[in-house]
Amino acid sequence: MEINRIKVALAETRRKNKWLAEQIGKDESTISQWCTNARQPSLENLLKIANALDIDIRDLLCSTKNTND
């Protein structure tokens, strides 16, 4: 199940996993697991990611509501 949109956000901002890992002080393998939704980052790490990418933290999460409602 997809919970986060980190991979999409990285693509939209033309950044790579390695760059994000360096920016927030995490291993590249951890970033990769977050991007594939194998693991989920803490809220603190989501905030660090949002700040590094200069985007709203809400853009890193998949919506739980159907847009047709």
Side-chain angles (χ1 to χ4, degrees):
M1 172 169 49
E2 288 193 12
I3 297 173
N4 74 60
R5 299 179 66 250
I6 297 171
K7 183 176 184 176
V8 174
L10 284 169
E12 288 174 350
T13 57
R14 296 187 175 100
R15 301 290 186 174
K16 302 286 184 188
N17 291 8
K18 183 177 181 178
W19 176 87
L20 182 59
E22 292 169 355
Q23 296 301 304
I24 67 170
K26 295 290 180 186
D27 289 337
E28 229 180 304
S29 62
T30 299
I31 304 299
S32 178
Q33 290 175 334
W34 292 346
C35 286
T36 61
N37 279 278
R39 289 181 47 204
Q40 297 303 319
S42 67
L43 290 174
E44 180 182 346
N45 284 321
L46 274 178
L47 182 59
K48 289 179 183 179
I49 294 166
N51 288 336
L53 294 174
D54 193 28
I55 61 174
D56 191 304
I57 193 171
R58 293 174 291 183
D59 293 336
L60 294 173
L61 299 172
C62 293
S63 176
T64 59
K65 296 289 184 182
N66 187 342
T67 55
N68 295 331
D69 291 344

